[in-house]
């Protein structure tokens, strides 16, 4: 158990809909990363937050947004969903400063 | 774009043999990390090597780092069937931004 909790584990939704993925980082970790992994692909970095503030942005679509709350949990919002958004979405947390990252088990999103 | 590129993309060996995977990256780094992912699961941290280190060991794992060539290798000795997984390298590519960027991974299959 990494200590990082992601909910829900599975999500099936229709095109055009909006979903929210939730991540609770390890206790004490200030930094949260979001990644997208399509089938048999590598991890695409989406966005990083550190102590509530956006720290770095990757290939995140404008239809996607994220935030980190004062209790340090984070949410990734995906809207106007397309079939191509079907993927595993991972959250990872670190204390900060380039330390090892601890990953959640992911949310498998299927858009139909 | 991906910072790290693993090579080979896929590797299949017999149990007991050694497995070597390589990672190349593009920009200067603070550290380089290797992770393992069992199919559809979250990533698990294996080892971190700092930019001022050249080699590091952890159990059956040996990691080398050549900053002049911007490359790293992961050696798994005396492989076991349970080592079957995908292996990813990750770098903290931008100083200050601290985003953790992953390569496409090497899919390792250990045949009994």
């Amino acid at each position: 158990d990494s200590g990082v909790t992601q909910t829900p584990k599975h999500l099936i939704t229709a095109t055009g809909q909006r979903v929210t993925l939730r991540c609770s980082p390890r206790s004490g970790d200030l930094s949260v990363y979001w990644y997208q992994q399509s089938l048999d692909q590598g991890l695409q970095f989406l966005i990083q937050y550190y102590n509530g503030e956006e720290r770095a942005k990757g290939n995140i679509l404008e239809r996607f947004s994220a935030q980190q709350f004062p209790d340090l949990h984070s949410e990734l919002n995906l809207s106007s969903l397309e079939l191509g958004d079907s993927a595993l979405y991972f959250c990872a947390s670190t204390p900060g400063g380039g330390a090892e990252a601890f990953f959640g088990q992911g949310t498998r999103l299927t858009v139909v | 774009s991906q910072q790290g590129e693993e090579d080979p993309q896929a590797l299949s060996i017999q149990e007991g043999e050694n497995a070597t995977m390589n990672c190349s990256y593009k920009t200067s780094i603070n550290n380089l990390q290797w992770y393992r992912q069992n199919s559809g699961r979250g990533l698990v941290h294996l080892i971190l090597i700092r930019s001022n280190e050249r080699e590091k060991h952890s159990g059956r794992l040996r990691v080398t780092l050549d900053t002049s060539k911007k490359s790293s290798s992961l050696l798994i000795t005396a492989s076991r069937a349970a080592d079957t997984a995908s292996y990813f390298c990750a770098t903290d590519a931008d100083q200050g931004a601290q985003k953790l960027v992953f390569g496409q991974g090497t899919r390792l299959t250990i045949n009994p």
Side-chain angles (χ1 to χ4, degrees):
Chain A
D1 182 8
S2 68
V4 178
T5 303
Q6 287 188 250
T7 56
K9 287 187 171 53
H10 302 276
L11 197 50
I12 301 175
T13 190
T15 54
Q17 294 298 304
R18 181 179 189 276
V19 297
T20 297
L21 311 184
R22 182 187 169 100
C23 170
S24 295
R26 275 193 332 155
S27 177
D29 282 357
L30 300 177
S31 189
V32 169
Y33 299 79
W34 285 98
Y35 294 90
Q36 179 193 56
Q37 185 178 38
S38 300
L39 189 64
D40 293 331
Q41 297 294 312
L43 278 81
Q44 293 290 331
F45 169 72
L46 296 178
I47 198 163
Q48 180 204 2
Y49 281 85
Y50 181 83
N51 203 20
E53 293 187 3
E54 183 183 303
R55 180 61 66 94
K57 217 166 186 175
N59 299 322
I60 187 167
L61 300 172
E62 285 191 11
R63 300 184 285 110
F64 296 0
S65 65
Q67 54 184 329
Q68 186 178 29
F69 295 87
D71 68 351
L72 300 178
H73 91 270
S74 179
E75 293 181 356
L76 179 66
N77 301 297
L78 315 176
S79 61
S80 302
L81 285 167
E82 302 174 357
L83 295 178
D85 297 328
S86 296
L88 268 169
Y89 290 85
F90 287 105
C91 161
S93 74
T94 75
E100 72 173 271
F102 293 84
F103 278 78
Q105 289 303 305
T107 293
R108 183 175 295 277
L109 173 66
T110 303
V111 182
V112 297
Chain B
S1 63
Q2 295 298 116
Q3 162 74 329
E5 295 285 341
E6 285 92 344
D7 170 57
Q9 290 187 357
L11 180 61
S12 180
I13 61 174
Q14 294 300 119
E15 196 166 19
E17 294 181 342
N18 295 340
T20 299
M21 289 158 273
N22 302 297
C23 168
S24 60
Y25 57 92
K26 297 172 185 171
T27 65
S28 61
I29 59 172
N30 294 317
N31 63 58
L32 185 144
Q33 305 180 40
W34 284 91
Y35 288 79
R36 165 195 166 125
Q37 183 184 33
N38 288 83
S39 183
R41 310 277 299 196
L43 278 73
V44 175
H45 182 264
L46 295 176
I47 197 164
L48 180 154
I49 186 165
R50 301 197 184 283
S51 59
N52 61 353
E53 297 176 310
R54 292 296 168 258
E55 188 171 311
K56 204 160 183 181
H57 296 254
S58 177
R60 294 184 295 113
L61 305 180
R62 172 179 170 254
V63 168
T64 61
L65 179 64
D66 187 334
T67 53
S68 67
K69 294 181 179 178
K70 292 187 170 57
S71 68
S72 173
S73 68
L74 170 68
L75 169 67
I76 303 174
T77 61
S79 63
R80 306 167 181 169
D83 294 329
T84 294
S86 290
Y87 292 82
F88 294 87
C89 68
T91 55
D92 60 338
D94 295 322
Q95 279 198 343
Q98 296 178 346
K99 61 181 179 181
L100 200 57
V101 180
F102 286 80
Q104 293 293 312
T106 292
R107 184 174 297 177
L108 175 65
T109 302
I110 308 298
N111 302 304

